[in-house]
Amino acid sequence: MPTVTRPADFVAWFRSVAPYINSFRGKTFVIAFGGEMVADGKFVELTHDFNLLAALGIRLVLVHGARPQIEQHLARMNLEDSYHQGIRLTDAVTMQCVKEAVGRVRVEIEALLSMGLANSPMANADIRVAGGNFITAQPMGVINGVDLQHTGCVRKVDVAALNDRMEFGEVVLLSPLGYSPTGEVFNLTLEDVATATAIALDADKLVFLMDVDGVMDKKGVLLKELTIVQATAELSANRKLPDDVSLFLPCAVRACEAGVARTHLISRHTDGAILHELFSSEGIGTMIVESTLNTLRDASIEDVGGILQLLIPLEEQGILVRRNRELLEREIERFVVLEHDHRIVGCAALYPFPDEAEAELACLAVDPQYRDRGYGEAIMNHMTALAKSQKLKKLFVLTTRTAHWFLERGFKESDTSELPSQKKALYNYQRKSKVFVKKI
Ligand code: ARG
């Protein structure tokens, strides 16, 4: 059993996940993973994570692949793998191998989901796995003169049947196979099954476990969050993407466009990646959402707690002056807050001095976890526009430690004697803040 070093850390960590536990209960997540997960013997840990999600009341649809197992089976039978434009051509003999390989993987997964050893994370798990004819498929047909035969795509998802199973608390396990009204079996891709199912169920999340950590930019830096527009731009930028990204990112876009709130692309190699992604605000992979999760708005009294969480560490480091809490509550309407995914990650306040046609920009703060994303700048631009709308001509800030940031944004050093008289009276000479001014 891993031990958490300090009880206080354990408690703080546990409390920090409460908002996720609350918001995930009763939600539908579709999670897709390739047959590699089972082939590499990594599936046991993943099972523990699925068990945890199920125990928290999340409605789970798991979609498995079987590519390495199919390839192995074909090799054993001395059969050639045959692809046409990246799509597997499934003739009758190959289909036989597909059925056998998929069947085997499925049995293995079901066995692992049935574990319940005492002293393991699966103790008392009692997961019921549901399977069935939920996916109706149709043949891909003839592409550029080549008949793909038993290779198919999803035609319909039996939403009512899936919901029934999940209503009973069962975990649905879908294989990459579908059936046709004529009784035929079709070989499907796991990404098609997962995406079509997530869309049909109007799922809250679609998760793909893949070979790489997420979507990287040109310099190899992980892109933690992409809107549909940004994801589409990444796909059409003229550069080679890792195979799994080219496979799953278009699915993420398709799902988000069809109303799936969030799609997550995470690494299958990192133990617990799914827990990290779902139960932390920064996640571990790439999350694709329809549009930006940021809102910049006027603060209200309910925001005081969130603002304080942001300010206290900065006050402790002496970057901001400690504010009187009562005053903060009384002056809350002077504040704006920047929310990211319903969490306050930035704030600032504007104090106008109409007689001098100036305003103080105070308390500009951004959560260190969210630095370097242009949030400070966005807040400052918003405040500048606000001051302009009140016919003010100058903005000033008092700062001891962040002079450069303001200098780089067009502020000029000034002197305390230039401050509006009312402000001068309140100036804290011990703190020796510098004054920076900008014409707006
Ligand atoms: N835990 C949150 C969720 O599941 C946020 C995840 C953010 N992940 C990211 N890669 N930016 O919705």
Side-chain angles (χ1 to χ4, degrees):
M1 254 321 121
T3 46
V4 177
T5 31
R6 290 195 328 166
D9 289 345
F10 172 77
V11 171
W13 167 81
F14 206 177
R15 285 182 181 145
S16 78
V17 296
Y20 297 109
I21 297 181
N22 277 320
S23 73
F24 292 164
R25 191 180 308 113
K27 296 284 161 54
T28 305
F29 294 2
V30 176
I31 305 173
F33 51 92
E36 293 81 4
M37 216 59 220
V38 183
D40 296 356
K42 297 263 185 63
F43 196 71
V44 175
E45 286 78 15
L46 190 59
T47 313
H48 296 166
D49 298 348
F50 290 154
N51 170 45
L52 197 57
L53 300 181
L56 294 174
I58 296 166
R59 294 151 57 100
L60 282 185
V61 177
L62 311 178
V63 184
H64 76 86
R67 187 178 274 237
Q69 290 84 354
I70 295 173
E71 276 161 11
Q72 237 176 33
H73 210 95
L74 288 170
R76 232 181 291 134
M77 314 260 301
N78 284 327
L79 290 168
E80 282 287 315
D81 239 357
S82 153
Y83 284 90
H84 175 63
Q85 293 182 351
I87 309 171
R88 185 191 294 278
L89 190 158
T90 320
D91 58 18
V93 195
T94 308
M95 192 63 218
Q96 210 46 45
C97 291
V98 171
K99 283 193 219 167
E100 281 176 39
V102 168
R104 271 169 204 247
V105 179
R106 188 176 176 101
V107 168
E108 262 183 72
I109 295 174
E110 286 186 358
L112 292 172
L113 286 170
S114 310
M115 290 186 304
L117 286 182
N119 296 334
S120 87
M122 296 297 282
N124 303 321
D126 204 11
I127 294 178
R128 293 197 197 135
V129 184
N133 56 346
F134 303 116
I135 306 289
T136 307
Q138 63 191 29
M140 282 265 195
V142 181
I143 294 183
N144 289 336
V146 177
D147 185 356
L148 295 172
Q149 303 184 39
H150 296 276
T151 301
C153 53
V154 177
R155 179 173 167 196
K156 211 182 81 201
V157 178
D158 192 344
V159 172
L162 286 173
N163 279 330
D164 278 352
R165 302 318 338 140
M166 291 190 283
E167 228 29 68
F168 278 105
E170 293 170 20
V171 171
V172 178
L173 176 63
L174 296 179
S175 299
L177 293 180
Y179 310 112
S180 79
T182 54
E184 264 181 289
V185 187
F186 286 98
N187 181 16
L188 310 176
T189 63
L190 95 113
E191 60 275 14
D192 184 27
V193 174
T195 311
T197 305
I199 293 172
L201 287 174
D202 199 13
D204 301 279
K205 280 190 192 299
L206 169 63
V207 182
F208 285 108
L209 287 147
M210 49 176 207
D211 241 336
V212 285
D213 292 342
V215 184
M216 313 288 172
D217 68 7
K218 283 197 288 290
K219 295 185 192 132
V221 178
L222 178 70
L223 298 166
K224 295 209 134 212
E225 200 177 294
L226 292 173
T227 61
I228 294 180
V229 174
Q230 291 166 328
T232 313
E234 288 302 323
L235 284 167
S236 48
N238 206 2
R239 69 189 167 98
K240 170 102 186 73
L241 295 169
D243 289 349
D244 274 6
V245 173
S246 343
L247 212 55
F248 300 135
L249 192 55
C251 295
V253 170
R254 184 179 143 209
C256 276
E257 277 175 342
V260 175
R262 294 172 175 203
T263 301
H264 305 258
L265 306 185
I266 58 176
S267 165
R268 72 178 178 86
H269 301 289
T270 310
D271 183 24
I274 194 157
L275 300 183
H276 199 146
E277 177 67 15
L278 300 185
F279 295 98
S280 70
S281 64
E282 71 285 2
I284 192 176
T286 300
M287 173 166 84
I288 295 91
V289 287
E290 197 205 332
S291 55
T292 166
L293 301 175
N294 295 340
T295 39
L296 190 57
R297 57 166 177 80
D298 293 339
S300 72
I301 196 75
E302 286 79 35
D303 298 319
V304 169
I307 295 178
L308 280 176
Q309 254 184 29
L310 196 65
L311 300 184
I312 289 169
L314 299 168
E315 291 177 351
E316 281 168 359
Q317 293 163 42
I319 297 173
L320 288 178
V321 224
R322 192 177 183 286
R323 265 176 197 263
N324 179 321
R325 302 314 183 219
E326 252 173 78
L327 202 64
L328 176 66
E329 281 188 29
R330 253 187 288 137
E331 296 183 342
I332 191 71
E333 79 279 7
R334 302 216 177 275
F335 277 76
V336 294
V337 287
L338 178 74
E339 265 189 337
H340 177 85
D341 201 7
H342 309 295
R343 221 179 115 120
I344 293 179
V345 299
C347 72
L350 192 75
Y351 291 87
F353 294 88
D355 292 346
E356 284 88 351
E358 288 184 39
E360 177 184 3
L361 171 62
C363 221
L364 176 59
V366 175
D367 182 331
Q369 258 189 41
Y370 292 84
R371 291 272 160 81
D372 300 325
R373 299 196 194 192
Y375 288 179
E377 199 125 24
I379 300 176
M380 197 185 74
N381 293 343
H382 179 85
M383 291 315 225
T384 309
L386 193 65
K388 271 190 188 167
S389 73
Q390 298 174 13
K391 310 244 171 342
L392 305 173
K393 306 276 182 247
K394 268 203 245 167
L395 269 189
F396 69 88
V397 293
L398 294 178
T399 176
T400 52
R401 306 265 293 269
T402 53
H404 272 105
W405 195 87
F406 290 102
L407 285 171
E408 282 160 20
R409 282 155 188 84
F411 282 76
K412 302 247 167 344
E413 189 164 353
S414 173
D415 193 81
T416 41
S417 60
E418 303 283 317
L419 289 172
S421 45
Q422 243 181 311
K423 182 74 197 176
K424 237 182 281 177
L426 291 173
Y427 183 79
N428 176 344
Y429 283 91
Q430 259 174 354
R431 213 173 129 76
K432 295 204 180 68
S433 304
K434 288 193 174 160
V435 182
F436 292 88
V437 182
K438 186 181 177 181
K439 288 213 179 81
I440 54 173

